[in-house]
Amino acid sequence: DAGVIQSPRHEVTEMGQEVTLRCKPISGHNSLFWYRQTMMRGLELLIYFNNNVPIDDSGMPEDRFSAKMPNASFSTLKIQPSEPRDSAVYFCASSLGRIRHNEQFFGPGTRLTVL
Amino acid sequence: TQLLEQSPQFLSIQEGENLTVYCNSSSVFSSLQWYRQEPGEGPVLLVTVVTGGEVKKLKRLTFQFGDARKDSSLHITAAQPGDTGLYLCAGLITQGGSEKLVFGKGTKLTVNP
C-alpha cells in the first residue's frame, strides 16, 4: 500500500522565490499534519487539518507560510517569499482520526534549501 | 525553550552493548510516543505509553513512562547495527483547545559492527 506521498523530495531555490510543497495522505485518513525539522529546533508541528479543515495553525511561523487542503487527498504548503532560514526538511503526516487515539504516518519529507 | 529534552544527543556504541536514552520534561503528558527515524525518511512510531509507570517491551527495546508522566526512557539490550537511527520522543499535550504532539530533538544512535 502507498504511504504518504510528498513532492518534490528536494527543492533548491533562491531567496524571494515562491515554494510549494505537496502532500498526498494515505487514502481514508482524515487528519493531515505538516511538520518542519531542523537541527536547531527539532521536529515542529506547523499546521493540522481534520476533515480538510485547519484545526491548529499556531505553529505556522509567519504570514509567509500558508497551507491548504482542497480535498481529502491533497494538501499544499506554500512559502512566499522564501528566506534562507526556511531551509529545513518538511514532513507531511496523516492519521485515521484525531491525534489522541491514532498513529501518525509520516511521508519521506521534502528537503528545502533556500539560497 | 524545548518542552522535551532528550539525552544524550549523540551515542556511538559497539554491537552487543546495552544503552539507555532519556526524555525529560517539567510538563505532564497525556501520553508519550517513541519514534525511530532513518536518514532520508520520516519518523516511524515504535510505541505509545499512556499510564504513569507503564513499561512496554518491543523485542530488545524496553520503554518506560515515568510515574508522574513527565519523563520516559528507552533501553536497548544487545544493540545491533540495525538499531542505528535517530530516536525521537513525543508528548501529547493540549494547547489552545487542541491536542498536539511536541517532539524532542532526538538521540542519534550509531551501533558499530
Side-chain angles (χ1 to χ4, degrees):
Chain A
D1 290 340
V4 175
I5 298 172
Q6 291 187 246
S7 64
R9 292 295 311 275
H10 301 274
E11 176 82 30
V12 180
T13 190
E14 292 191 344
M15 182 174 65
Q17 297 297 306
E18 177 179 299
V19 175
T20 299
L21 311 181
R22 296 172 176 81
C23 175
K24 177 178 169 54
I26 293 172
S27 178
H29 284 190
N30 62 0
S31 289
L32 183 139
F33 310 84
W34 282 102
Y35 289 89
R36 177 173 68 177
Q37 187 174 39
T38 62
M39 288 288 292
M40 287 294 293
R41 300 175 67 89
L43 194 64
E44 302 173 286
L45 177 67
L46 299 178
I47 188 168
Y48 154 42
F49 291 89
N50 184 253
N51 292 324
N52 311 338
V53 176
I55 301 299
D56 181 357
D57 65 354
S58 60
M60 294 287 263
E62 49 196 273
D63 292 345
R64 297 185 298 107
F65 285 69
S66 62
K68 294 183 179 180
M69 192 163 186
N71 57 63
S73 58
F74 184 65
S75 177
T76 59
L77 178 67
K78 186 177 293 186
I79 308 172
Q80 165 64 14
S82 58
E83 296 183 3
R85 60 192 168 120
D86 301 331
S87 297
V89 182
Y90 290 81
F91 288 100
C92 176
S94 70
S95 71
L96 272 172
R98 291 189 176 264
I99 297 173
R100 178 176 289 267
H101 301 296
N102 295 281
E103 178 179 354
Q104 293 185 28
F105 293 84
F106 285 78
T110 295
R111 181 174 293 277
L112 173 65
T113 303
V114 183
L115 302 173
Chain B
T1 304
Q2 200 75 16
L3 194 60
L4 275 168
E5 298 288 342
Q6 290 192 243
S7 62
Q9 190 175 355
F10 300 96
L11 187 57
S12 180
I13 62 171
Q14 294 300 121
E15 182 176 0
E17 292 183 6
N18 301 333
L19 67 114
T20 302
V21 298
Y22 300 93
C23 176
N24 295 297
S25 177
S26 57
S27 300
V28 176
F29 297 101
S30 304
S31 63
L32 195 135
Q33 298 181 337
W34 284 92
Y35 292 78
R36 180 167 66 213
Q37 183 179 14
E38 299 190 18
E41 298 181 11
V44 176
L45 180 66
L46 296 174
V47 77
T48 301
V49 285
V50 179
T51 307
E54 183 176 2
V55 176
K56 279 193 174 178
K57 292 192 174 184
L58 187 67
K59 297 184 180 177
R60 293 175 294 99
L61 278 60
T62 302
F63 305 85
Q64 184 161 9
F65 201 11
D67 291 341
R69 292 187 288 125
K70 294 183 179 180
D71 53 79
S72 181
S73 63
L74 159 59
H75 181 78
I76 301 179
T77 303
Q80 299 177 1
D83 296 327
T84 292
L86 179 68
Y87 288 82
L88 298 164
C89 65
L92 181 67
I93 62 170
T94 300
Q95 200 171 66
S98 69
E99 291 183 324
K100 66 195 305 182
L101 281 176
V102 290
F103 284 80
K105 290 187 184 179
T107 293
K108 188 169 183 180
L109 172 65
T110 303
V111 182
N112 303 296

